Amino acid sequence: MVSVALDKKNLKKFVGAMLKQGKALGPVATENGTVLGELTAKSDIVLDYGNFKLPPKREFFPQCEVITRFDGTKVSEEPVRGQASVIFGVRPCDAQALAYLDKVFSDETYTDPYYQTRRDGALVISLACSEPGEACFCTATGGGPGATTGADIAAFSQSASVLLEAVSKKGESFLKKNTGLFREPTKKELQNKKTQGSEYAKRLSRVDVSGAPKALEKRNDSRFWDEIAETCLSCGACTFLCPTCHCFDLYEEKRGSASARIRLHDACTFPSFTREASGHNPRAGKGDRMRQRVMHKFSYAPENFGTVFCVGCGRCVVHCPSNIDIRETIAKVNS
Amino acid sequence: MQDQERKMKAAAKRLFDDQKVDVVVGFRKGSLPNSSRPYFARSAADAEHLVWNGFCTANLAAFLPKLFEKPARPKDGYKPPRIAVIAKGCDGRSVSGLIKENQVPRSNLIVIGVPCHGMVTSNKGAKAKKEEVARACQECVSPTVKDADITIDGEGRKPAKTAYARVKAFAGKSSEERWKAFVKEISKCIRCNACREACPNCYCKTCFADQRKPSWVSPANELSETIVFHMGRMFHQAGRCVECDACVNACPMGIDLRLFTQKLAQDALDLFGSTPGIAGDEVPMLNTFAQDDSQCFITDPEEK
């Protein structure tokens, strides 16, 4: 695959090249920290951030999207709007999560048109990590600071340059189209790429997720889950920030004579999750819902898609108001 | 603080040894560096895990209404649990409110008051940020629970005198500027409900925002709906908010909710002389009225 080097002094031009593709998103500094924001020709992209608070899944599977409208007489499908053409700076864990979401939304038997249109239209450029976050554990879930799964191009920021490596055909054609911006990478740069993150990978916390699917089969005791979920507040911080959570709800809304059908992110931690029309809820307790969350990621997903649906980004660990730690939960499941 | 932790643990253990409680709601060490998290100790052995340090930010009163909630199908001879709660000043103020609102049976609750030194701003995984006392603690007018059943000795933080300087400065701006600032903050919201769930006052069985027949607020995270959700939630805090910042600490998006809820608290004090949870026997502001009650919030809301 094609591998090129971009000198950091040419970053602005690189932004220009991305903008030629259409709407481009990348890491930009704001008063709320580094966010995945829309780029303009003037944007200075940031390369030394930890990770975005909000997962990039939202660019492909928005939290709230109108899918059908009804104007009082006829029903019309809502076209996909505002999708990005290039997304730069997706961390390897989040890129891997996109590969997992592909398994869900681009299934052989059914393809989700909204997700697929956005996915097909966007070039994803991942950016290798250089500094682990407090709760990162990507190496335990099959990833790593320099992993490239899910990306079209993998970028590696080095001292004076960014090494870009094509991962998919789409990525390769973008690099070839913009050869003027790049130069041949030096041997040293290629060598650095190989070792990038290897030191930090040693510092990441270790959790054994491989035994979890089997161990979970035996965790049918509701007391076990009630205890884990004891301090759960039933908010949706963990699921809304999770790069692989993909449950959604359909909601119909009427305003005046017009109505819309809206697809919204749902959270298995919410008490209303799976509440039936009769009012009965098969998962009435937060322990039941915690079980669902953990089973979905570490049992049902391996069964259906051959992999756990956790990429070790640590967002749920950091942002849970009660600090319920999925690493500890898995350790308890295994014990 | 270590001394307080030792005494608090001993008090909790004694309650278990004397068979006076079923649960002690407190804190244990968190999984992240410099963090503590809510913990329910159910035995004297569990009580060993209790901690008391500068990271005990959550308002533990928020767990009480659910712990006391009667099961849908109670077993014969069901008795409500006997619960002890480790309380900072703010937890104590919330407990006092919950008792007055009949959410917590006083007879089954033991309040273990620990004089609070002020908690450190939660860093939510941000690296090596300078540790500083949280704004809520800097502005706290009662860091120590007044009417605790058990009080751990030791000096707490000195109560703050004027808490509303920032709100007053904000209120001095034009309505356009205030609206702009409000919308800017609220637009960060992802509707995860963490603020609501972490708030001791938000114990409604079904929140107005979750009702669908009729649907007062759409669950869609469109700005206008999100504004309605936050306004509704905030107005329900009038005369009840104890300014603990549980909502602020729970919010993953870092929304400065304090600026807005504090305005309600300031109005409660300035217009009705009420500071929720401070005076143990005070009737909650909205449960009473007097002929000379201020009406300016209706007749002249812009009056400064």
Side-chain angles (χ1 to χ4, degrees):
Chain A
M1 276 288 178
V2 183
S3 196
V4 298
L6 167 76
D7 287 315
K8 283 190 178 168
K9 60 178 197 291
N10 289 333
L11 268 174
K12 273 258 160 61
K13 285 184 191 157
F14 183 69
V15 171
M18 290 196 284
L19 286 169
K20 268 194 203 138
Q21 300 287 114
K23 183 176 167 183
L25 306 177
V28 286
T30 70
E31 57 187 307
N32 303 318
T34 305
V35 303
L36 185 59
E38 188 166 351
L39 299 174
T40 67
K42 284 184 187 156
S43 296
D44 283 313
I45 51 176
V46 185
L47 296 170
D48 60 348
Y49 54 99
N51 198 355
F52 312 116
K53 198 178 273 180
L54 292 172
K57 76 169 179 191
R58 295 164 68 92
E59 302 306 327
F60 303 98
F61 169 49
Q63 184 171 0
C64 164
E65 106 187 283
V66 174
I67 54 176
T68 314
R69 285 190 196 280
F70 176 62
D71 63 5
T73 51
K74 73 173 197 306
V75 174
S76 58
E77 266 186 44
E78 186 76 354
V80 169
R81 288 178 214 270
Q83 74 261 43
S85 300
V86 194
I87 304 184
F88 176 87
V90 174
R91 289 302 188 189
C93 53
D94 290 339
Q96 188 171 36
L98 292 178
Y100 292 168
L101 292 182
D102 289 345
K103 293 173 195 267
V104 176
F105 290 120
S106 315
D107 185 53
E108 293 145 4
T109 48
Y110 182 75
T111 299
D112 184 286
Y114 311 97
Y115 177 86
Q116 199 55 44
T117 305
R118 291 191 168 91
R119 194 76 170 99
D120 287 342
L123 182 80
V124 174
I125 307 177
S126 69
L127 183 63
C129 292
S130 48
E131 190 55 38
E134 275 174 337
C136 289
F137 60 106
C138 60
T139 47
T141 53
T148 61
T149 316
D152 295 303
I153 296 171
F156 300 82
S157 175
Q158 301 186 357
S159 54
S161 65
V162 179
L163 195 80
L164 297 160
E165 197 177 75
V167 181
S168 72
K169 283 262 173 298
K170 196 158 66 172
E172 190 174 304
S173 76
F174 175 80
L175 291 183
K176 281 188 176 156
K177 202 161 84 183
N178 295 290
T179 39
L181 285 176
F182 311 123
R183 58 169 171 76
E184 278 282 310
T186 62
K187 267 197 181 136
K188 199 173 167 220
E189 281 170 330
L190 289 170
Q191 190 54 38
N192 283 348
K193 188 217 103 177
K194 275 189 197 146
T195 52
Q196 184 164 351
S198 60
E199 264 311 303
Y200 122 28
K202 287 180 201 155
R203 282 189 280 147
L204 293 175
S205 53
R206 281 164 218 280
V207 201
D208 175 25
V209 302
S210 60
K214 196 105 193 96
L216 277 167
E217 283 173 20
K218 293 184 193 120
R219 293 294 183 188
N220 294 321
D221 181 0
S222 64
R223 275 171 306 183
F224 175 80
W225 295 107
D226 286 345
E227 205 172 292
I228 286 170
E230 202 164 45
T231 56
C232 173
L233 295 170
S234 298
C235 76
C238 53
T239 53
F240 283 5
L241 297 184
C242 176
T244 71
C245 272
H246 54 268
C247 286
F248 60 81
D249 196 8
L250 291 173
Y251 175 71
E252 266 123 29
E253 194 163 71
K254 192 167 183 285
R255 280 180 196 168
S257 61
S259 323
R261 176 172 291 171
I262 307 172
R263 173 154 86 168
L264 294 162
H265 287 186
D266 203 352
C268 55
T269 43
F270 286 162
S272 60
F273 186 77
T274 66
R275 188 173 60 214
E276 296 164 6
S278 66
H280 171 70
N281 191 343
R283 298 189 187 97
K286 51 192 183 181
D288 308 329
R289 299 194 294 272
M290 180 64 75
R291 178 172 183 271
Q292 163 64 21
R293 179 167 162 76
V294 177
M295 290 294 277
H296 196 173
K297 291 193 181 307
F298 295 94
S299 175
Y300 311 145
E303 201 178 313
N304 295 331
F305 305 111
T307 175
V308 296
F309 264 37
C310 172
V311 293
C313 71
R315 285 184 179 91
C316 59
V317 177
V318 173
H319 294 287
C320 172
S322 291
N323 182 214
I324 296 174
D325 190 326
I326 190 74
R327 298 169 300 179
E328 294 174 337
T329 303
I330 294 305
K332 274 184 205 163
V333 165
N334 289 337
S335 69
Chain B
M1 237 184 226
Q2 277 173 342
D3 187 46
Q4 282 183 331
E5 180 179 290
R6 193 173 47 76
K7 288 176 183 161
M8 178 268 292
K9 260 189 209 179
K13 272 194 205 157
R14 209 172 311 125
L15 289 173
F16 283 115
D17 290 341
D18 298 346
Q19 300 187 340
K20 283 194 176 150
V21 289
D22 304 305
V23 191
V24 174
V25 179
F27 288 93
R28 73 175 295 175
K29 193 178 180 322
S31 75
L32 296 167
N34 298 339
S35 70
S36 299
R37 54 182 151 182
Y39 176 58
F40 298 171
R42 295 188 187 273
S43 67
D46 281 358
E48 252 328 299
H49 298 303
L50 291 168
V51 298
W52 182 252
N53 51 39
F55 310 110
C56 301
T57 39
N59 187 331
L60 299 176
F63 292 104
L64 298 178
K66 284 212 177 82
L67 281 170
F68 280 118
E69 197 174 278
K70 202 172 173 183
R73 287 180 207 84
K75 293 195 177 102
D76 285 344
Y78 168 81
K79 277 191 210 143
R82 297 162 307 161
I83 299 171
V85 61
I86 309 294
K88 310 179 281 292
C90 52
D91 307 57
R93 299 198 294 278
S94 292
V95 166
S96 156
L98 290 170
I99 292 168
K100 288 174 193 172
E101 294 178 10
N102 291 325
Q103 298 305 310
V104 167
R106 183 69 187 94
S107 54
N108 280 45
L109 184 73
I110 295 172
V111 178
I112 306 176
V114 188
C116 178
H117 292 261
M119 296 299 155
V120 171
T121 313
S122 76
N123 66 356
K124 295 260 178 193
K127 289 254 160 114
K129 226 167 75 180
K130 217 178 100 199
E131 281 182 9
E132 54 179 35
V133 173
R135 189 188 292 275
C137 306
Q138 288 180 30
E139 296 178 347
C140 180
V141 292
S142 66
T144 300
V145 187
K146 300 258 163 34
D147 42 8
D149 300 297
I150 299 169
T151 301
I152 306 300
D153 1 305
E155 282 284 301
R157 195 181 168 79
K158 239 175 91 186
K161 283 203 183 77
T162 49
Y164 300 119
R166 199 166 71 111
V167 181
K168 280 178 189 156
F170 184 70
K173 294 182 177 181
S174 71
S175 60
E176 289 79 17
E177 281 175 297
R178 278 180 281 144
W179 180 248
K180 222 173 124 186
F182 176 72
V183 169
K184 193 176 155 203
E185 278 306 307
I186 298 304
S187 61
K188 297 181 202 165
C189 179
I190 56 167
R191 296 290 291 276
C192 71
N193 296 334
C195 52
R196 179 181 87 188
E197 303 302 334
C199 175
N201 283 341
C202 281
Y203 53 72
C204 287
K205 295 269 191 299
T206 306
C207 175
F208 77 99
D210 288 344
Q211 282 179 6
R212 291 292 161 262
K213 277 182 183 175
S215 188
W216 307 105
V217 189
S218 160
N221 72 329
E222 291 170 354
L223 185 59
S224 62
E225 301 297 325
T226 304
I227 287 171
V228 174
F229 164 66
H230 281 287
M231 283 194 155
R233 203 190 80 81
M234 283 172 196
F235 278 123
H236 286 179
Q237 303 294 338
R240 302 170 69 231
C241 177
V242 303
E243 303 168 57
C244 67
D245 268 14
C247 52
V248 175
N249 292 323
C251 176
M253 303 311 292
I255 302 174
D256 181 10
L257 293 163
R258 179 172 186 78
L259 184 59
F260 312 115
T261 48
Q262 233 188 352
K263 171 67 178 141
L264 297 166
Q266 187 211 348
D267 281 353
L269 180 66
D270 289 356
L271 304 179
F272 302 97
S274 164
T275 303
I278 301 287
D281 53 355
E282 184 188 271
V283 180
M285 184 186 97
L286 295 178
N287 291 19
T288 182
F289 71 94
Q291 261 190 336
D292 58 352
D293 269 351
S294 169
Q295 293 180 33
C296 74
F297 68 99
I298 303 168
T299 55
D300 190 8
E302 286 290 316
E303 189 191 54
K304 301 278 154 49

